[in-house]
Structure formats: C-alpha cells, structure tokens
Amino acid sequence: MSSEPKPQILFSREEIEVAVKKLAAEIKRDYQNKNPLLIGILKGSFVFMADLIRLLDFPLEVEFVQLSSYGRGRSTPGELKVVQGLRSQIRDRDVLVVEDIVDTGHSSAFLLDYLQKEKPASLRLCALTDKPSRRQVSVNIDYLGFTVPDKFIVGYGIDWDEKFRNLPDICTLGDDK
Ligand code: IMP
Ligand code: MG
C-alpha cells in the first residue's frame, strides 16, 4: 500500500452547512427576481453547487465549464484553456460563477475575462474558499464561504490527484502538497 496523506478536518460538514446557508441567503437577496445563470467550474465545484442550488428557492439555471491548465505546477499557472465550454447564451444574463477555491487567482481571472467578452448583464464570483496568501492576480470575490490558510485542502468536491472529492468535510492534507 502506498502511504497516502491523512486528511485532517479544517471545516466540518456542520460548518460547511452554515456557510452555504449564509451564501444562499446573500445570493437570494441579490438574484431572486433575475433568473440567474450559475456557472460551476468543474470539477471542484460540483458538490458545493449541488448544495447551494437546493437552498435557492427561485428560478435559476445551471451550467458547468471546465478549464485545463497545461504544464501547471502548484505556483505556476500554465496555459489556461476552456476544455468544456458554455452551452447557453450568456449575453444579457445575470451570471454567477461558482468556484471551489481561489488560490493564485489565475483560473478565476481567466474565466471571468472569458465570460465578460460575451457581454452578460452582470458577472459575479461566488467562491467556497479563498487562499489570499497565494494570490498572484487580483480577483474580486463577491460571495465567500471560508478564508483558508496556505495549506492544501481536499474534500467536499475538492481533490488531490482526483482523490478525496468524496469527503464530506473540508480537510487539510499537510503542508507538503
Ligand atoms: P488558481 O488558478 O491558482 O486560483 O487555482 C484554482 C484551482 O486550483 C482551484 O479551482 C482548484 O481546482 C485548484 N486548487 C488550488 N488550491 C487547491 C487546494 O488547496 N486543493 C485542491 N485544489 C486546489
Ligand atoms: Mg478548480
């Protein structure tokens, strides 16, 4: 057996539930009459998106896009590309991007820029977690769940090498990942 790192709970499922409820209340206040389009970034946002939308009791639509970053290291962005793009028109729509983590900021900045070119009526970012200590490009987060320390996190949809997405809590994996 390989020695896999052992996850330690950083935010429990109960704390996540409280945070997602708070975000849902803020989003409802701002979007309930706007039929917004929520765009999740695959794969990390899928669990968060699933919980979030079930707390939003008004009309909305959901899309997903996937980015790939060729040659990406932990601190180097690599070349970002949209590998699965939009299937809906976003022109004149109120668009809310749903992210798992804003880390260096490159992915969110790239995606917001890409979406802005399609001329949505409004474009905002909701991030479950933010690691401001690692930021390289500035990104404005309109709705934020948790600020996290400079540690690698997994769980609640977030992976390490495609593993640990199924953990119900947000966990750290130690400092070396
Ligand atoms: P950024 O472009 O550096 O802001 O990175 C954003 C993406 O990198 C996130 O959406 C995650 O997919 C991944 N990422 C950044 N930090 C972590 C982490 O601590 N755990 C797992 N994935 C991470
Ligand atoms: Mg991601």
Side-chain angles (χ1 to χ4, degrees), residues 5-64:
K6 211 173 171 323
Q8 313 270 352
I9 294 180
L10 179 64
F11 303 116
S12 68
R13 62 202 80 182
E14 292 82 12
E15 291 173 285
I16 297 171
E17 193 182 338
V18 171
V20 177
K21 275 191 183 145
K22 187 199 86 174
L23 289 172
E26 293 171 13
I27 292 167
K28 177 170 178 168
R29 175 197 67 204
D30 296 345
Y31 288 94
Q32 62 183 328
N33 299 313
K34 295 187 166 170
N35 185 30
L37 179 63
L38 275 61
I39 303 182
I41 315 307
L42 291 171
K43 301 175 192 172
S45 70
F46 80 104
V47 175
F48 174 39
M49 178 73 100
D51 280 349
L52 182 65
I53 60 168
R54 284 178 293 172
L55 296 170
L56 298 176
D57 56 347
F58 56 87
L60 59 82
E61 293 170 31
V62 176
E63 269 277 4
F64 287 97

Coordinates of all heavy atoms in Angstrom, one line a residue, residues 5-64:
P5 N -1.4 10.6 2.2 CA -1.6 11.6 3.3 C -2.9 11.4 4.0 O -3.9 11.1 3.4 CB -1.4 12.9 2.6 CG -1.7 12.6 1.1 CD -1.3 11.2 0.9
K6 N -2.9 11.7 5.3 CA -4.1 11.5 6.1 C -4.8 12.9 6.2 O -4.3 13.8 6.7 CB -3.7 11.0 7.4 CG -4.8 10.1 8.1 CD -4.2 9.5 9.3 CE -5.2 8.8 10.2 NZ -6.5 9.3 10.3
P7 N -6.1 13.0 5.7 CA -6.8 14.2 5.8 C -7.2 14.6 7.3 O -7.6 13.7 8.1 CB -8.1 14.0 5.0 CG -7.9 12.7 4.3 CD -6.9 11.9 5.0
Q8 N -7.0 15.9 7.6 CA -7.4 16.4 8.9 C -8.5 17.4 8.7 O -8.3 18.3 7.9 CB -6.2 17.2 9.6 CG -4.9 16.4 9.6 CD -4.7 15.6 10.8 OE1 -5.5 15.6 11.7 NE2 -3.7 14.8 10.8
I9 N -9.6 17.4 9.5 CA -10.7 18.3 9.3 C -10.3 19.7 9.6 O -9.8 20.0 10.6 CB -11.9 17.9 10.2 CG1 -12.4 16.5 9.7 CG2 -13.0 18.9 10.1 CD1 -13.7 16.0 10.5
L10 N -10.6 20.6 8.6 CA -10.4 22.0 8.7 C -11.7 22.7 9.0 O -11.9 23.5 9.9 CB -9.7 22.6 7.5 CG -9.4 24.1 7.4 CD1 -8.4 24.5 8.5 CD2 -8.9 24.5 6.1
F11 N -12.7 22.4 8.1 CA -14.1 22.8 8.3 C -15.0 21.6 8.2 O -15.0 20.9 7.2 CB -14.5 23.8 7.2 CG -13.6 25.0 7.1 CD1 -12.8 25.3 6.0 CD2 -13.5 25.9 8.2 CE1 -11.9 26.3 5.9 CE2 -12.6 27.0 8.1 CZ -11.9 27.2 7.0
S12 N -15.8 21.4 9.3 CA -16.6 20.2 9.4 C -17.8 20.4 8.5 O -18.2 21.5 8.1 CB -17.1 20.1 10.8 OG -18.0 21.1 11.2
R13 N -18.5 19.3 8.3 CA -19.7 19.4 7.4 C -20.8 20.3 8.0 O -21.5 21.0 7.3 CB -20.3 17.9 7.2 CG -20.7 17.2 8.4 CD -20.8 15.7 8.3 NE -19.4 15.2 8.4 CZ -19.1 13.9 8.2 NH1 -20.1 13.0 7.9 NH2 -17.9 13.4 8.3
E14 N -20.8 20.4 9.4 CA -21.8 21.3 10.0 C -21.4 22.8 9.7 O -22.2 23.6 9.4 CB -21.8 21.1 11.5 CG -22.4 19.8 12.0 CD -21.4 18.6 11.9 OE1 -20.2 18.8 11.8 OE2 -21.9 17.4 12.0
E15 N -20.1 23.1 9.8 CA -19.6 24.4 9.5 C -19.9 24.8 8.0 O -20.2 25.9 7.7 CB -18.2 24.6 9.8 CG -17.8 24.5 11.3 CD -16.3 24.5 11.5 OE1 -15.7 23.4 11.3 OE2 -15.8 25.5 11.9
I16 N -19.7 23.8 7.2 CA -19.9 24.0 5.7 C -21.4 24.3 5.5 O -21.8 25.2 4.8 CB -19.5 22.8 4.9 CG1 -18.0 22.5 5.0 CG2 -19.9 23.0 3.4 CD1 -17.5 21.2 4.4
E17 N -22.3 23.6 6.2 CA -23.7 23.8 6.0 C -24.1 25.2 6.4 O -24.9 25.9 5.7 CB -24.5 22.8 6.9 CG -26.0 22.7 6.5 CD -26.7 21.7 7.4 OE1 -26.1 20.8 8.0 OE2 -27.9 21.9 7.6
V18 N -23.6 25.7 7.5 CA -23.8 27.0 8.0 C -23.3 28.1 6.9 O -24.0 29.0 6.6 CB -23.2 27.3 9.3 CG1 -23.2 28.8 9.7 CG2 -23.8 26.4 10.4
A19 N -22.1 27.8 6.4 CA -21.6 28.8 5.4 C -22.4 28.8 4.1 O -22.6 29.8 3.6 CB -20.1 28.4 5.2
V20 N -22.8 27.6 3.7 CA -23.5 27.5 2.4 C -24.9 28.2 2.6 O -25.4 28.9 1.7 CB -23.6 26.1 1.9 CG1 -24.5 26.0 0.6 CG2 -22.2 25.5 1.6
K21 N -25.5 28.0 3.8 CA -26.8 28.7 4.0 C -26.6 30.2 4.0 O -27.5 30.9 3.5 CB -27.3 28.3 5.4 CG -28.1 27.0 5.4 CD -28.8 26.7 6.7 CE -29.6 25.4 6.6 NZ -29.6 24.7 7.9
K22 N -25.6 30.7 4.6 CA -25.3 32.1 4.6 C -25.1 32.7 3.1 O -25.7 33.7 2.7 CB -24.1 32.4 5.4 CG -23.8 33.9 5.6 CD -22.4 34.2 6.1 CE -21.6 34.3 4.8 NZ -20.2 34.7 4.8
L23 N -24.4 31.9 2.4 CA -24.2 32.3 1.0 C -25.5 32.3 0.2 O -25.8 33.2 -0.6 CB -23.2 31.4 0.3 CG -21.7 31.5 0.7 CD1 -20.8 30.4 0.2 CD2 -21.2 32.9 0.3
A24 N -26.3 31.3 0.4 CA -27.6 31.1 -0.3 C -28.5 32.3 0.0 O -29.2 32.9 -0.8 CB -28.2 29.8 0.1
A25 N -28.4 32.8 1.3 CA -29.3 33.9 1.7 C -28.8 35.2 1.0 O -29.7 36.0 0.5 CB -29.2 34.1 3.2
E26 N -27.5 35.4 0.9 CA -27.0 36.5 0.2 C -27.3 36.5 -1.3 O -27.7 37.5 -1.9 CB -25.5 36.6 0.3 CG -25.0 36.9 1.8 CD -23.5 36.7 1.9 OE1 -22.8 36.7 0.9 OE2 -23.0 36.7 3.1
I27 N -27.2 35.3 -1.9 CA -27.5 35.2 -3.3 C -29.0 35.4 -3.6 O -29.4 36.0 -4.6 CB -26.9 33.8 -3.8 CG1 -25.4 33.8 -3.8 CG2 -27.4 33.5 -5.2 CD1 -24.7 32.5 -3.9
K28 N -29.8 34.8 -2.7 CA -31.2 35.0 -2.9 C -31.6 36.5 -2.8 O -32.4 37.0 -3.7 CB -32.0 34.2 -1.8 CG -33.5 34.5 -1.9 CD -34.3 33.5 -1.0 CE -35.7 33.9 -1.1 NZ -36.6 32.9 -0.5
R29 N -31.1 37.2 -1.9 CA -31.3 38.6 -1.7 C -31.0 39.4 -3.0 O -31.7 40.2 -3.5 CB -30.4 39.2 -0.6 CG -30.5 40.6 -0.3 CD -29.3 41.1 0.5 NE -28.0 40.9 -0.2 CZ -26.8 40.7 0.3 NH1 -26.7 40.7 1.6 NH2 -25.8 40.6 -0.4
D30 N -29.9 39.0 -3.7 CA -29.5 39.7 -4.9 C -30.0 39.2 -6.2 O -30.0 39.9 -7.2 CB -27.9 39.7 -5.0 CG -27.3 40.4 -3.8 OD1 -28.0 41.1 -3.1 OD2 -26.1 40.2 -3.6
Y31 N -30.5 37.9 -6.3 CA -30.8 37.3 -7.6 C -32.2 36.8 -7.7 O -32.6 36.2 -8.7 CB -29.8 36.2 -7.9 CG -28.4 36.6 -8.2 CD1 -27.4 36.7 -7.3 CD2 -28.1 37.0 -9.5 CE1 -26.1 37.1 -7.6 CE2 -26.8 37.4 -9.9 CZ -25.8 37.5 -8.9 OH -24.6 37.9 -9.2
Q32 N -33.0 36.9 -6.7 CA -34.3 36.1 -6.7 C -35.2 36.5 -7.8 O -36.1 35.7 -8.2 CB -35.0 36.1 -5.4 CG -35.4 37.4 -4.9 CD -36.1 37.2 -3.5 OE1 -36.7 36.2 -3.2 NE2 -35.9 38.2 -2.6
N33 N -35.1 37.7 -8.4 CA -36.0 38.0 -9.5 C -35.3 38.1 -10.8 O -35.8 38.7 -11.8 CB -36.7 39.4 -9.2 CG -37.5 39.3 -7.9 OD1 -38.3 38.3 -7.8 ND2 -37.4 40.2 -7.0
K34 N -34.1 37.5 -10.9 CA -33.3 37.7 -12.1 C -33.0 36.5 -12.9 O -32.3 36.5 -13.9 CB -31.9 38.3 -11.6 CG -32.0 39.7 -11.0 CD -30.7 40.2 -10.7 CE -30.8 41.7 -10.4 NZ -29.5 42.3 -9.9
N35 N -33.6 35.4 -12.6 CA -33.4 34.1 -13.3 C -31.9 34.0 -13.6 O -31.5 33.8 -14.8 CB -34.2 34.0 -14.5 CG -34.1 32.7 -15.2 OD1 -33.8 31.7 -14.6 ND2 -34.2 32.7 -16.5
P36 N -31.0 34.0 -12.6 CA -29.6 34.0 -12.9 C -29.1 32.6 -13.5 O -29.8 31.6 -13.4 CB -29.0 34.1 -11.5 CG -29.9 33.5 -10.6 CD -31.3 33.9 -11.2
L37 N -27.9 32.7 -14.2 CA -27.3 31.5 -14.7 C -26.0 31.3 -13.8 O -25.1 32.1 -13.7 CB -26.8 31.8 -16.1 CG -26.1 30.6 -16.7 CD1 -27.0 29.3 -16.8 CD2 -25.6 31.0 -18.1
L38 N -26.1 30.2 -13.0 CA -24.9 29.8 -12.2 C -24.0 29.0 -13.0 O -24.4 27.9 -13.5 CB -25.4 29.1 -10.9 CG -25.8 30.0 -9.7 CD1 -27.0 30.9 -10.1 CD2 -26.2 29.1 -8.5
I39 N -22.7 29.4 -13.1 CA -21.8 28.6 -13.9 C -20.7 28.0 -12.9 O -19.9 28.7 -12.3 CB -21.1 29.5 -14.9 CG1 -22.1 30.1 -15.9 CG2 -20.1 28.6 -15.7 CD1 -21.5 31.0 -17.0
G40 N -20.8 26.7 -12.8 CA -19.8 26.0 -11.9 C -18.6 25.6 -12.7 O -18.6 25.3 -13.9
I41 N -17.4 25.7 -12.0 CA -16.2 25.3 -12.6 C -15.9 23.9 -12.2 O -15.7 23.6 -11.0 CB -15.0 26.2 -12.1 CG1 -15.4 27.7 -12.2 CG2 -13.7 26.0 -13.0 CD1 -16.0 28.2 -13.5
L42 N -15.8 23.0 -13.2 CA -15.5 21.6 -13.0 C -14.0 21.4 -12.7 O -13.2 22.1 -13.2 CB -15.9 20.8 -14.2 CG -17.5 20.7 -14.4 CD1 -17.8 20.1 -15.8 CD2 -18.1 20.0 -13.3
K43 N -13.7 20.3 -11.9 CA -14.7 19.5 -11.3 C -15.0 20.0 -9.8 O -16.0 19.6 -9.2 CB -14.3 18.0 -11.2 CG -13.9 17.4 -12.5 CD -13.4 16.0 -12.3 CE -12.8 15.4 -13.5 NZ -12.0 14.2 -13.3
G44 N -14.1 20.8 -9.3 CA -14.1 21.0 -7.9 C -15.4 21.6 -7.3 O -15.7 21.5 -6.1
S45 N -16.2 22.3 -8.1 CA -17.4 23.0 -7.6 C -18.7 22.2 -7.5 O -19.7 22.6 -7.1 CB -17.7 24.3 -8.4 OG -18.1 23.9 -9.7
F46 N -18.6 20.9 -8.0 CA -19.9 20.2 -8.2 C -20.7 19.9 -6.9 O -21.9 20.0 -6.9 CB -19.7 19.0 -9.1 CG -19.2 17.7 -8.4 CD1 -20.0 16.7 -8.1 CD2 -17.9 17.6 -8.0 CE1 -19.6 15.5 -7.4 CE2 -17.4 16.5 -7.4 CZ -18.3 15.4 -7.1
V47 N -20.0 19.6 -5.8 CA -20.7 19.3 -4.6 C -21.3 20.6 -4.0 O -22.4 20.7 -3.6 CB -19.7 18.6 -3.5 CG1 -20.4 18.4 -2.2 CG2 -19.2 17.3 -4.1
F48 N -20.4 21.6 -4.0 CA -20.9 22.9 -3.5 C -22.1 23.4 -4.3 O -23.1 23.9 -3.7 CB -19.7 23.9 -3.6 CG -19.9 25.3 -3.3 CD1 -20.8 25.7 -2.2 CD2 -19.3 26.3 -4.0 CE1 -21.0 27.0 -1.9 CE2 -19.5 27.7 -3.7 CZ -20.4 28.0 -2.7
M49 N -22.0 23.3 -5.6 CA -23.1 23.8 -6.5 C -24.4 23.0 -6.1 O -25.5 23.6 -6.0 CB -22.7 23.5 -7.9 CG -23.8 23.9 -8.9 SD -24.0 25.7 -9.1 CE -23.1 26.0 -10.6
A50 N -24.2 21.7 -5.9 CA -25.4 20.9 -5.6 C -26.1 21.3 -4.3 O -27.3 21.4 -4.2 CB -25.0 19.4 -5.6
D51 N -25.3 21.6 -3.3 CA -25.9 22.0 -2.0 C -26.4 23.4 -2.1 O -27.5 23.7 -1.6 CB -24.8 22.0 -0.9 CG -24.6 20.6 -0.4 OD1 -25.4 19.7 -0.7 OD2 -23.6 20.4 0.4
L52 N -25.7 24.3 -2.8 CA -26.1 25.7 -2.9 C -27.5 25.8 -3.6 O -28.4 26.5 -3.1 CB -25.0 26.5 -3.7 CG -25.2 28.0 -3.8 CD1 -25.2 28.7 -2.5 CD2 -24.1 28.5 -4.7
I53 N -27.6 25.2 -4.8 CA -28.8 25.5 -5.5 C -30.1 24.9 -4.9 O -31.2 25.4 -5.0 CB -28.8 25.0 -7.0 CG1 -28.5 23.5 -7.1 CG2 -27.8 25.8 -7.8 CD1 -28.8 22.9 -8.5
R54 N -29.9 23.9 -4.0 CA -31.1 23.3 -3.3 C -31.5 24.2 -2.2 O -32.6 24.0 -1.6 CB -30.8 21.9 -2.8 CG -30.8 20.9 -4.0 CD -30.5 19.5 -3.6 NE -29.1 19.4 -3.2 CZ -28.6 18.3 -2.6 NH1 -29.4 17.3 -2.4 NH2 -27.3 18.3 -2.3
L55 N -30.7 25.3 -1.9 CA -31.2 26.3 -0.9 C -31.7 27.5 -1.6 O -32.1 28.5 -0.9 CB -30.0 26.6 0.0 CG -29.5 25.5 0.9 CD1 -28.2 25.9 1.6 CD2 -30.5 25.1 1.9
L56 N -31.7 27.5 -2.9 CA -32.2 28.7 -3.7 C -33.5 28.4 -4.2 O -33.7 27.7 -5.2 CB -31.2 29.1 -4.8 CG -29.7 29.4 -4.3 CD1 -28.8 29.6 -5.5 CD2 -29.7 30.6 -3.4
D57 N -34.6 29.0 -3.6 CA -35.9 28.6 -4.0 C -36.5 29.7 -4.9 O -37.5 30.3 -4.6 CB -36.8 28.4 -2.7 CG -36.8 29.6 -1.8 OD1 -35.9 30.5 -2.0 OD2 -37.6 29.7 -0.9
F58 N -35.9 29.9 -6.0 CA -36.4 30.8 -7.0 C -35.8 30.3 -8.4 O -34.9 29.5 -8.4 CB -36.0 32.2 -6.7 CG -34.5 32.5 -6.6 CD1 -33.7 32.7 -7.6 CD2 -33.9 32.4 -5.3 CE1 -32.3 32.9 -7.5 CE2 -32.5 32.5 -5.1 CZ -31.7 32.8 -6.3
P59 N -36.3 30.8 -9.5 CA -35.9 30.3 -10.8 C -34.4 30.6 -11.1 O -34.0 31.8 -10.9 CB -36.8 31.0 -11.8 CG -38.0 31.4 -11.0 CD -37.5 31.7 -9.6
L60 N -33.7 29.6 -11.5 CA -32.3 29.8 -11.9 C -31.9 28.7 -12.9 O -32.7 27.8 -13.0 CB -31.4 29.8 -10.7 CG -31.4 28.6 -9.8 CD1 -30.5 27.5 -10.4 CD2 -30.9 28.9 -8.4
E61 N -30.8 28.9 -13.5 CA -30.3 27.9 -14.4 C -28.8 27.6 -14.1 O -28.2 28.4 -13.4 CB -30.4 28.3 -15.9 CG -31.8 28.4 -16.4 CD -32.0 29.1 -17.7 OE1 -31.1 29.0 -18.6 OE2 -33.0 29.8 -17.9
V62 N -28.4 26.4 -14.4 CA -27.0 25.9 -14.1 C -26.3 25.5 -15.3 O -26.8 24.8 -16.2 CB -27.1 24.7 -13.1 CG1 -25.8 24.2 -12.7 CG2 -27.8 25.2 -11.8
E63 N -25.0 25.8 -15.3 CA -24.1 25.4 -16.4 C -22.8 25.0 -15.8 O -22.5 25.4 -14.6 CB -23.8 26.6 -17.3 CG -24.7 26.8 -18.5 CD -24.3 25.9 -19.7 OE1 -23.3 25.1 -19.5 OE2 -24.9 26.1 -20.7
F64 N -22.0 24.3 -16.5 CA -20.6 24.0 -16.0 C -19.6 24.2 -17.1 O -19.9 24.0 -18.3 CB -20.5 22.5 -15.6 CG -21.2 22.2 -14.3 CD1 -22.5 21.7 -14.3 CD2 -20.6 22.5 -13.1 CE1 -23.2 21.4 -13.1 CE2 -21.3 22.2 -11.9 CZ -22.6 21.7 -11.9

